[in-house]
Amino acid sequence: MLKGKNAIITGGVRGIGRAIGETFAKQGANVFLCYKSNDEAALAAKSELEQYGTNVEIMKADVQDYQQVGLVVEAAIKAFGKIDILVNNAGITKDKLLMRMTPEDFSEVIDVNLVGSFNFIRHIAPHMIKQKQGRIINISSIAGVKGNPGQANYSASKAGINGLTLSVAKEIGRRGITVNAIAPGYIETDMTGILTEEYKGKLLDAISLGRFGTPEDVAKVAAFLASDDAAYITGQIIGVDGGMMI
Ligand code: NAD
């Protein structure tokens, strides 16, 4: 479905980002993975994904840093000639109840999740506008739609991503670029691995399908949104939550 397409995926060496990279590579896309710190995991991801026969590049960068993001986009264009797909997946949590949350806790999560997504969109948009086509997929969260106690910072960052998605979709739709967000519910990764069994039990009760999501559940939707089949879908916040919202 993605044969010959070139994609940048942020936070692409573990969890949901890693699954998106694998699904894209399996479908024939070349992938450029941006990661924050784990060189070993990045090299392992590169060699594993290369087995699917496409080009896989890795580059260390902090999504919060506008200049570094510019260098990633430049390097990806140089490596592949053009970029068709951007997946803004990198994200962090710093969960605390409001009364314990410091201004630093709040701004760090906003800087990585929301400003990081803006940084990539801002650098890739001129390139996609020039080629008159592109797909931007932002990984949001159910928390950005309905909020969550202990996640004022995270929910605000994800609600911000939803607004960013809608505005940019309106601005650059006529240039042949679609901009969508995926709002996962509870997906089993390192990010959610830190939650207590008691809390996980409560979450499970709220999921209509009766199971937690997998990174692959999210990756398959990202691959569809990145494909030519999703050409007429833009400005959508697509829930992948097993019915947690209903
Ligand atoms: P994860 O912690 O396994 O992966 C997050 C990735 O982001 C890591 O590779 C990390 O290195 C990268 N990253 C973090 N800060 C970065 C920075 N400053 N610069 C570059 N990379 C950075 O988490 P995950 O569960 O795979 O989450 C992926 C995305 O999905 C996140 O945006 C998260 O908010 C979102 N999400 C996850 C869930 C879930 O239940 N796991 C639910 C909803 C949304």
Side-chain angles (χ1 to χ4, degrees):
M1 228 160 54
L2 299 177
K3 200 163 173 40
K5 306 269 188 204
N6 305 319
I8 296 177
I9 304 164
T10 71
V13 307
R14 73 175 210 203
I16 293 172
R18 169 76 174 69
I20 293 173
E22 184 160 2
T23 304
F24 280 21
K26 265 187 199 165
Q27 295 192 10
N30 301 311
V31 294
F32 196 102
L33 309 176
C34 153
Y35 68 101
K36 190 181 175 199
S37 55
N38 193 337
D39 297 324
E40 213 173 300
L43 285 168
K46 178 172 161 65
S47 69
E48 280 162 35
L49 299 195
E50 275 172 347
Q51 290 172 20
Y52 297 107
T54 61
N55 293 325
V56 181
E57 299 293 339
I58 51 175
M59 186 164 163
K60 192 190 278 190
D62 187 336
V63 300
Q64 298 172 81
D65 185 321
Y66 187 72
Q67 313 294 344
Q68 280 185 35
V69 170
L71 295 176
V72 172
V73 171
E74 207 176 287
I77 294 170
K78 197 166 172 214
F80 298 154
K82 69 182 176 79
I83 298 298
D84 308 288
I85 307 156
L86 165 68
V87 182
N88 274 316
N89 163 80
I92 58 166
T93 51
K94 246 189 155 185
D95 297 355
K96 276 178 198 167
L97 290 172
L98 178 69
M99 291 307 164
R100 297 204 180 122
M101 192 174 283
T102 64
E104 291 73 27
D105 294 329
F106 190 83
S107 47
E108 193 183 335
V109 173
I110 299 286
D111 284 349
V112 175
N113 299 3
L114 178 56
V115 179
S117 300
F118 165 78
N119 288 343
F120 266 92
I121 293 173
R122 181 64 186 83
H123 279 292
I124 202 79
H127 173 72
M128 288 182 169
I129 287 171
K130 206 163 149 202
Q131 70 192 12
K132 297 191 178 71
Q133 61 102 9
R135 294 274 192 274
I136 297 173
I137 300 161
N138 299 319
I139 306 300
S140 178
S141 167
I142 193 170
V145 183
K146 67 176 205 167
N148 203 20
Q151 290 198 314
N153 49 3
Y154 184 78
S155 304
S157 74
K158 296 298 188 179
I161 285 178
N162 295 347
L164 177 70
T165 302
L166 302 180
S167 293
V168 179
K170 283 188 173 182
E171 266 190 51
I172 60 177
R174 282 183 172 72
R175 311 300 190 104
I177 301 161
T178 69
V179 189
N180 292 291
I182 295 175
Y186 181 102
I187 309 297
E188 286 188 303
T189 66
D190 291 349
M191 182 179 272
T192 46
I194 54 171
L195 302 177
T196 64
E197 288 306 315
E198 190 193 351
Y199 187 58
K200 283 191 204 171
K202 273 191 198 155
L203 288 173
L204 196 54
D205 286 344
I207 301 173
S208 311
L209 292 180
R211 70 165 176 90
F212 295 126
T214 64
E216 290 69 31
D217 287 324
V218 179
K220 285 177 193 157
V221 177
F224 169 65
L225 289 174
S227 74
D228 292 342
D229 288 347
Y232 204 56
I233 300 175
T234 197
Q236 301 301 307
I237 316 292
I238 298 178
V240 180
D241 59 19
M244 228 177 160
M245 267 301 284
I246 53 176

